[in-house]
Amino acid sequence: MNVSLDAGRLAGGRLYQRVAEQLAAIISEGEYSPGSRLPAERKLAERFEVSRPTIREAIIALELAGFVEVRGGSGVYICDGESDKLASTNLDVGPFDILEARILFEGEAAELAAKKITEQELAEVREALEDMVTENEGEPICEKADERFHMLIARATKNDAIVSVCSHLWALRNSSPVSARILEKVRQAGSKPRIEEHHAILEALEARDGAGARAAMREHLTRVIQQLLDATEAEAVEEARRAVMHNRERFNLIG
Amino acid sequence: MNVSLDAGRLAGGRLYQRVAEQLAAIISEGEYSPGSRLPAERKLAERFEVSRPTIREAIIALELAGFVEVRGGSGVYICDGESDKLASTNLDVGPFDILEARILFEGEAAELAAKKITEQELAEVREALEDMVTENEGEPICEKADERFHMLIARATKNDAIVSVCSHLWALRNSSPVSARILEKVRQAGSKPRIEEHHAILEALEARDGAGARAAMREHLTRVIQQLLDATEAEAVEEARRAVMHNRERFNLIG
DNA sequence: AGTTTATTGCGGTCTGACCAATTAGCTGGT
DNA sequence: ACCAGCTAATTGGTCAGACCGCAATAAACT
């Protein structure tokens, strides 16, 4: 039973990634039950019509993702971890979901940060904001400063879990192919008035105004969503949404 | 400048893991600055005295961990987000931070869930709660039901990013050795009145009372923190906190 | 100087081989 | 019939060398 490889062109062109995806797919579909052994590398190479090194690379990817356990001389065994992990590990999350989550979570984080932020951290946030202003033309730099701005606020909470969550949300945004496409459109459409909103957040932080920071953060992200909706024609949005729905069963395991 | 391999026997016997570790080490030590290019795979193979496939596997591990970016035909480049990602990817997050984050985030999630939850999902939540009640003696099962309860609420938001974040928080909790030690103490101390709190959340969800659900969730998690504080002697907490601080510099890159 | 084309280096992949650990199977004795 | 011990097949682990296509750079051409 051979499996066509070019079927799923979702992940990066790397061959091992596509193989790892398919491998993960057939595992999650129950072709091999948890705890059982996967076919030998050589057999898999034959089945997927790739070489053994490629299979090994794919297995390493699965191993690092926690899907399988490799026992030397014996075989590759499927971890008994729940399907929850599989489904949620690297699900392809759309940009709207991410922004909605950021509204909720970063709003709370900003409120907490306002109460805990130090003068030095405020200076760093201010610096990030200035970077956004001065280098507004260079998009990538601006975006980096944006990330820095938000992550600095998360860090100001002095809570590693919050930092981890915000970092995770940002990683979701950067890894999602759907997000990439839509964000590209937004970039083309230009994004000017973002600085004022960031400034409002900064002011609330400086005033140690928790509720104000929360409100400013929510306002800011809400406007981002609005802009995203405006910049994206309804048809494109629908297409993206459908793509997300379509990909939901599957999972891209490579970040 | 060759690097001895058998020096670090920390990770599993897999060669690629040891190589990946050393590679990550020399990167973090600044031998190659962020954004710059790593030596060619062949050169690295020569330097580490291993074969190219092994170097490739190590690079894949680093790539999956988010340390480097592989650009076909060009080279392997060190990601610029280094210190952020390194510090947050596998940071050992303490249970207090996690619970504080859950108070903020799951509170918001509960509020949103209350507005969107369906009858069927409510039934599932109810079922999870019943599992917690009936199997209160069997700790592991009870804990599983607890996770199910909270994740079902996250899922009820119909927002994959929120699901991903909650799953991420739970994974942090399960992976942290510090959390494990402290949570063990809490288990020994027993945890009875948790059911009422969960029930209050469920009732608010049933009433589609967003603010009420948020309040109930925050109340619940706040009490968990309180119980955690009570059950854990101050000295143990301090020890755990110190352990976290100590581990912050380091990073285990292999999951 | 600007544009196009060759060159060079790099990752991407394949083949085939040998080693080491594990395991199944066989052999022999009891 | 059963069990200990050994053998051999299987499997992952690693290596060496090769070829391809892409990318960046240098050279040649216009």
Side-chain angles (χ1 to χ4, degrees):
Chain A
M1 186 242 258
N2 281 349
V3 182
S4 78
L5 275 182
D6 40 28
R9 264 244 167 268
L10 4 104
R14 306 278 275 280
L15 185 51
Y16 85 86
Q17 295 183 347
R18 277 176 283 165
V19 173
E21 242 179 77
Q22 302 214 354
L23 221 33
I26 67 175
I27 288 175
S28 73
E29 283 167 9
E31 180 161 341
Y32 304 99
S33 47
S36 71
R37 219 196 55 195
L38 232 52
E41 290 181 352
R42 293 167 175 88
K43 300 285 183 187
L44 287 174
E46 188 183 343
R47 154 120 92 118
F48 286 95
E49 294 174 331
V50 296
S51 67
R52 194 151 87 95
T54 301
I55 290 290
R56 279 181 60 68
E57 294 176 346
I59 288 178
I60 284 174
L62 294 175
E63 181 192 16
L64 291 176
F67 288 79
V68 298
E69 176 191 354
V70 181
R71 262 173 267 174
S74 171
V76 180
Y77 296 82
I78 299 168
C79 287
D80 39 345
E82 308 270 331
S83 56
D84 286 357
K85 286 185 181 176
L86 308 194
S88 64
T89 298
N90 267 313
L91 189 60
D92 193 16
V93 182
F96 295 97
D97 281 8
I98 294 175
L99 278 169
E100 185 179 45
R102 286 184 63 194
I103 289 177
L104 299 182
F105 298 165
E106 289 198 30
E108 299 299 300
E111 179 165 0
L112 183 58
K115 299 170 185 164
K116 292 194 168 186
I117 196 165
T118 66
E119 284 302 328
Q120 185 185 338
E121 287 166 336
L122 269 175
E124 290 183 272
V125 174
R126 219 174 282 126
E127 190 182 332
L129 182 52
E130 282 169 13
D131 286 356
M132 277 178 75
V133 176
T134 60
E135 297 153 359
N136 200 5
E137 316 84 31
E139 316 143 20
I141 310 174
C142 175
E143 207 154 293
K144 280 198 157 215
D146 189 20
E147 176 172 354
R148 193 144 40 90
F149 181 91
H150 286 275
M151 287 306 298
L152 280 170
I153 293 176
R155 235 178 283 277
T157 62
K158 314 287 185 302
N159 182 316
D160 288 336
I162 291 176
V163 173
S164 179
V165 163
C166 289
S167 176
H168 182 228
L169 281 170
W170 210 273
L172 278 182
R173 171 192 145 130
N174 289 333
S175 69
S176 166
V178 180
S179 293
R181 283 221 312 278
I182 296 191
L183 288 174
E184 194 52 44
K185 281 184 177 288
V186 173
R187 283 194 201 97
Q188 290 168 2
S191 56
K192 297 293 157 56
R194 207 59 56 74
I195 281 93
E196 303 171 14
E197 298 161 23
H198 280 98
H199 202 75
I201 297 172
L202 175 59
E203 280 180 359
L205 289 176
E206 286 171 334
R208 263 77 179 179
D209 175 10
R214 185 186 127 118
M217 178 66 83
R218 291 175 81 112
E219 169 76 10
H220 163 51
L221 291 171
T222 303
R223 287 196 192 227
V224 174
I225 280 196
Q226 201 56 51
Q227 174 176 349
L228 217 161
L229 281 171
D230 291 347
T232 319
E233 309 86 343
E235 48 188 350
V237 175
E238 262 320 301
E239 182 204 341
R241 284 224 162 102
R242 252 181 289 120
V244 172
M245 289 300 175
H246 201 265
N247 282 335
R248 186 161 300 178
E249 333 285 337
R250 255 171 352 193
F251 38 170
N252 303 342
L253 91 95
I254 310 301
Chain B
M1 186 240 259
N2 280 348
V3 182
S4 78
L5 274 181
D6 41 24
R9 264 245 168 269
L10 349 114
R14 305 276 275 273
L15 184 52
Y16 85 86
Q17 294 184 347
R18 275 176 284 164
V19 173
E21 245 178 75
Q22 301 215 353
L23 223 33
I26 66 176
I27 289 175
S28 70
E29 282 167 9
E31 181 161 339
Y32 303 101
S33 47
S36 71
R37 220 195 58 198
L38 233 53
E41 291 181 352
R42 293 165 175 88
K43 298 286 183 188
L44 287 174
E46 188 182 341
R47 153 121 91 119
F48 286 93
E49 295 175 329
V50 297
S51 68
R52 194 151 88 94
T54 301
I55 290 289
R56 291 196 100 256
E57 293 176 347
I59 288 178
I60 285 174
L62 294 176
E63 181 192 16
L64 292 175
F67 287 83
V68 299
E69 176 191 354
V70 181
R71 262 174 264 173
S74 172
V76 180
Y77 296 82
I78 300 168
C79 286
D80 22 349
E82 24 102 51
S83 56
D84 291 355
K85 286 185 180 173
L86 304 198
S88 65
T89 298
N90 269 318
L91 188 60
D92 195 14
V93 182
F96 295 97
D97 281 8
I98 294 175
L99 278 169
E100 185 179 45
R102 287 183 63 193
I103 289 176
L104 299 182
F105 298 163
E106 289 198 32
E108 298 299 298
E111 179 166 1
L112 183 58
K115 299 169 185 166
K116 292 195 168 187
I117 197 164
T118 66
E119 284 302 327
Q120 185 186 339
E121 287 166 335
L122 270 175
E124 290 182 271
V125 174
R126 219 173 283 124
E127 190 181 332
L129 181 52
E130 282 170 13
D131 286 355
M132 277 178 74
V133 176
T134 60
E135 297 153 359
N136 200 5
E137 316 84 31
E139 316 143 18
I141 310 173
C142 175
E143 207 152 294
K144 277 197 164 224
D146 188 20
E147 176 173 353
R148 194 145 38 91
F149 181 90
H150 286 275
M151 286 306 298
L152 280 170
I153 293 176
R155 237 177 281 277
T157 62
K158 314 284 185 302
N159 182 318
D160 286 337
I162 292 176
V163 173
S164 180
V165 163
C166 290
S167 176
H168 181 230
L169 281 171
W170 209 272
L172 278 182
R173 172 193 145 129
N174 289 333
S175 69
S176 166
V178 180
S179 292
R181 284 221 312 277
I182 296 191
L183 287 173
E184 194 52 42
K185 282 185 178 287
V186 173
R187 283 195 200 97
Q188 291 168 2
S191 57
K192 296 295 158 52
R194 206 59 56 73
I195 280 92
E196 303 171 14
E197 298 161 23
H198 280 98
H199 202 74
I201 298 172
L202 175 58
E203 280 181 358
L205 289 176
E206 284 172 335
R208 264 77 179 179
D209 176 10
R214 186 187 125 117
M217 178 66 83
R218 290 175 82 113
E219 168 76 11
H220 162 52
L221 292 171
T222 303
R223 287 196 190 226
V224 174
I225 279 195
Q226 200 56 52
Q227 176 178 347
L228 218 162
L229 281 170
D230 291 346
T232 319
E233 310 87 342
E235 49 187 349
V237 176
E238 261 321 302
E239 182 203 343
R241 284 225 161 101
R242 252 182 290 121
V244 172
M245 289 299 176
H246 201 266
N247 282 334
R248 185 161 303 177
E249 333 285 337
R250 243 175 3 195
F251 44 159
N252 304 342
L253 95 92
I254 309 299

